[in-house]
Every structure is written in C-alpha cells, then in structure tokens.
Amino acid sequence: MRRAGMWLMFILAGSLIAPCQNGFIVHFDSVQAGYDGSGRSVMETSEGFLLFGHQVSNDGTARTRCVVYRISANGAFNERFEIGSGEPYHTNFGRFDPVSRLLDGGYVSTVLYFNGYSHQLDLFTFDDEGGIASTHPILSIDPADSVLFGIKQLRQASGGGYILCGFRAYGNDSTMAYMSRIDSTGALVWERDFGSPGQTYESLSVAEFVDGGFVIAGYRLDQGIEDLGFLIRTDSLGNELWRRHFGEELGGWGAVRVAADGGIITFSDYAEQSWPWDWAQHLLTKWDAEGDIIWQTRTNYGQYVTAYDLEILTDQSIITSGPIFGSAQLAKYSPQGDSLWARRFTVFENAASHLPYDVEPTSDGGFVLTGGASQSIGDPTPGLETIFIIKTDSL
C-alpha cells in the first residue's frame, strides 16, 4: 500500500472565524467541499496548530483517510495532507486524541489501513510541521482469519517504544479490549486481550502508571448489565492486576490519565435507570493504586452528555471535553475534583451535535479543542460532518 500523499492548498473562503479574547472558532466547511470529516488531535506549534483527523477523500474512492491540517496561529487554514490517497483502503488514527507529541520533537501515531477483514497497522512519526518522517509496519491480519481490529490511542512509554490500546474481535466470539507494547521501530514486544465471556470489551484510552505498568479504560456491552465503564491496571508486561467497573447504566466512554501523585483519573459517563434514556452526567473519578476510589464527582446532568477527552494540567487541575445538549463543552476541575467552571461552544447555530474529540492546553494558558460538528437545516451545508477548531483563553 502506498503511504505517500500530496499537500493540498485551499483558500479559507466562507469559513467562520469568530474572534474573542485570545481565541477563535473556526470550521472548514469550504475546505472540505462536501466531504465529511472530524478533527481527532490538535497540537500547538511555533507557527500555529497541527490538526490530525479523518476525512472522506475526494479521490473518487469514497474512503475515509487520515488527514493532517496546518493551521495558522489565528485559525486560518494553510494546507492539508492526506494519508493513503487513491488506495482501496480506509485509514484511521484512532478515536479520542490518538496522536502523541514526542518528547524529542515531532509527533507519533498508528495508522490503520482496513477494508473488510483486511487490516494493516503501521507506526507513523511526523516532523514538527506535520510531514511524515517515518513509517514502520506493526502487524497485518489475514482476511481469512475473520478478525476485526482497531487501535484507539497510542502513548509514548518510558524506556522507549509505545503502548497501544483498542479492540480485537475474533469472528463470532466476543470482542476483547486490546493492549500492546511496541518498540520504536514498530516491532511487537507483547500483546494482551481483556474481556469476559459473552461481553464486548473495547479500550479507548491508555496511560503509563508510575511503576512502569499501565492503565486502560473503555467500555463493555451486554444486555442487562450495569457499570459499563471499566478500568484495568496491569504490570509492565501487560498482565492484569485488577479491574473495576463503574457508571451504573453507563460509564463507557472517555479517557484515563495518571496524576503526579500516582492517582488514576478517569473521565466517563453516569446514568441511572430511572433517568430518560438520552440523559446522563459526566463522571470524574480518582482511583488509588489498588483500585479504590479516592473521590468522585458527577456534573452536567443533561441530554446527549458524553465524556471524551481529559488532560491533567501542570498544577494538577483537570480539563475535560465532551458534548452536552448538542454543544461542545470545555470544563475545568480542581485537583480534588471540585467543578470550577464549564463553557459550551457551538460552531454552527443549528448543528445536531458538536463532538470535541480532543482538548489540549496552550502555551498562553488557554485551551484548544478539535472535533466534528454535524450541520443541520439552516447551516451552510446541511448534513456535512465538519471539522472545527476552537481556541479559548484560560477561563
């Protein structure tokens, strides 16, 4: 499969830029030219921002591709690079904030090529400007094996290499949460599956623990069960030490991070059986090394509430992103889990949903979000899933 693409140049005609103090709201409706897309990771650079996302290609294949957008400091679109152009495969980075900044500069992610049961996973590194620096094969799956496979997040691991999480489904058997360790060349060091008989498990977020082990978080599904969210802690070889379930009627999305004091922070959903089916709360939890709850905060009761991304700031306060009532919400919590503030943003006036897949702090003390918004009647292009980027100040 070819891994080269081409840089595409566009003028940001018709895009929305609504400036505020130290911020902007930008969408790329005109750039996408009718092809669905969403931002998945956003990185601040010396020149502005890099946005890593997914977009349906205009190469005639109707396949979804990984794309990298170069964006100026004020949100103006400069260039776009597409991975896998012309190939009979979809390409995919992952779900919530799947791209990581490398400690020595540049960025890294997996790229999954897939078409039916045919899967190939590669390790991609990018330079500081978002150009492809290197690619290394990790694994490929024979279509005859009838295995469905996906990677949702990658993080750099101490001692070199990376840790990955996602899912692996074996034919008609249960879907298993997946975690693997690879070295810097993409060679597999080990793989692990986690699950329970008759249930679907999928891991969405991974972090390294203070002892060199790892934690993964995600969701499970089975008719009639409660506490759909899960948190698993492993040793340095990926062997399970303990597992916790949470969320009552929900709990199945969001992220996991490890605080400076060794506490494990999860961001997920919570709902009770008596609530309307489409109403929920955000659930922020701090766990100790043994899997006991230190504190738990439930906030933002509302319609279409979902937990997406989580970051721990240098002062150990916490920032989160997720949709609520169709808007993109940015919320901040103290290191003790106290709710400090929440802000809701809309890119389109009538959009059915704004999905903020990633939030990151910026060098000026503010924040930047990226995701996708589904335009509706009265918006510029009804029905188009549209990439957006939102830059805010520190409040």
Side-chain angles (χ1 to χ4, degrees):
M1 287 178 283
R2 293 191 302 270
R3 289 160 182 78
M6 60 182 297
W7 284 101
L8 304 176
M9 303 293 293
F10 294 91
I11 298 173
L12 190 63
S15 289
L16 170 67
I17 302 180
C20 58
Q21 181 187 0
N22 196 32
F24 55 77
I25 298 177
V26 175
H27 69 73
F28 298 108
D29 177 280
S30 60
V31 174
Q32 293 176 219
Y35 295 91
D36 288 341
S38 60
R40 298 303 172 114
S41 285
V42 61
M43 305 290 179
E44 184 183 23
T45 71
S46 60
E47 303 297 325
F49 301 94
L50 287 175
L51 189 155
F52 298 84
H54 300 147
Q55 188 171 338
V56 176
S57 179
N58 61 358
D59 63 3
T61 65
R63 306 286 182 176
T64 299
R65 311 287 186 202
C66 295
V67 290
V68 183
Y69 276 60
R70 289 176 175 167
I71 299 167
S72 72
N74 66 357
F77 172 79
N78 289 330
E79 309 177 90
R80 185 190 75 200
F81 178 73
E82 183 177 293
I83 297 174
S85 180
E87 295 287 348
Y89 295 88
H90 300 275
T91 59
N92 185 284
F93 283 128
R95 191 167 182 87
F96 305 124
D97 188 20
V99 181
S100 293
R101 189 188 298 269
L102 289 168
L103 298 177
D104 55 355
Y107 311 92
V108 64
S109 182
T110 57
V111 172
L112 180 67
Y113 294 78
F114 63 97
N115 185 1
Y117 284 110
S118 178
H119 294 71
Q120 178 173 316
L121 184 68
D122 288 4
L123 179 70
F124 271 65
T125 61
F126 302 87
D127 61 29
D128 290 337
E129 302 303 317
I132 296 174
S134 68
T135 66
H136 301 282
I138 300 174
L139 60 83
S140 60
I141 298 175
D142 190 329
D145 293 338
S146 299
V147 173
L148 292 176
F149 178 82
I151 293 298
K152 300 303 181 181
Q153 196 169 79
L154 171 147
R155 289 294 180 260
Q156 198 166 10
S158 61
Y162 309 96
I163 190 74
L164 320 175
C165 77
F167 74 92
R168 188 156 51 179
Y170 299 91
N172 295 323
D173 295 335
S174 298
T175 298
M176 310 286 282
Y178 174 84
M179 182 170 67
S180 63
R181 177 79 183 260
I182 62 173
D183 66 20
S184 59
T185 69
L188 277 168
V189 179
W190 48 256
E191 300 177 279
R192 300 287 183 265
D193 289 329
F194 307 91
S196 293
Q199 295 182 11
T200 291
Y201 270 72
E202 181 173 339
S203 54
L204 298 172
S205 187
V206 63
E208 186 170 7
F209 195 58
V210 293
D211 65 351
F214 304 96
V215 288
I216 59 171
Y219 69 91
R220 61 175 181 160
L221 296 175
D222 188 25
Q223 188 173 4
I225 63 171
E226 294 184 342
D227 294 322
L228 301 182
F230 73 81
L231 172 67
I232 295 173
R233 183 185 159 202
T234 77
D235 63 17
S236 61
L237 297 177
N239 300 306
E240 182 174 335
L241 300 177
W242 49 255
R243 183 184 309 195
R244 302 290 182 265
H245 294 101
F246 51 88
E248 195 118 354
E249 295 297 310
L250 284 176
W253 297 100
V256 61
R257 298 288 185 268
V258 177
D261 63 2
I264 303 164
I265 310 292
T266 57
F267 182 49
S268 58
D269 308 329
Y270 174 90
E272 297 180 4
Q273 191 172 21
S274 61
W275 295 359
W277 70 269
D278 54 355
W279 283 64
Q281 282 184 307
H282 286 140
L283 180 67
L284 190 68
T285 308
K286 185 171 184 178
W287 313 76
D288 67 17
E290 304 305 317
D292 295 322
I293 293 175
I294 299 173
W295 52 253
Q296 195 166 67
T297 301
R298 286 165 39 193
T299 58
N300 305 312
Y301 177 68
Q303 193 175 31
Y304 308 127
V305 170
T306 312
Y308 279 6
D309 196 30
L310 154 73
E311 296 296 341
I312 301 174
L313 306 180
T314 55
D315 65 357
Q316 297 303 293
S317 61
I318 299 161
I319 198 79
T320 66
S321 67
I324 179 171
F325 291 112
S327 301
Q329 179 166 281
L330 176 67
K332 189 175 183 181
Y333 301 83
S334 75
Q336 295 75 39
D338 301 310
S339 178
L340 301 178
W341 50 255
R343 310 281 183 252
R344 298 177 190 173
F345 302 92
T346 54
V347 180
F348 299 99
E349 183 177 356
N350 305 296
S353 64
H354 294 78
L355 307 178
Y357 289 105
D358 183 28
V359 58
E360 298 291 336
T362 53
S363 58
D364 62 0
F367 306 100
V368 62
L369 301 94
T370 191
S374 299
Q375 296 189 54
S376 190
I377 296 173
D379 295 325
T381 310
L384 182 69
E385 183 184 17
T386 310
I387 298 170
F388 67 78
I389 180 171
I390 299 172
K391 171 68 179 69
T392 79
D393 62 17
S394 61
L395 296 177

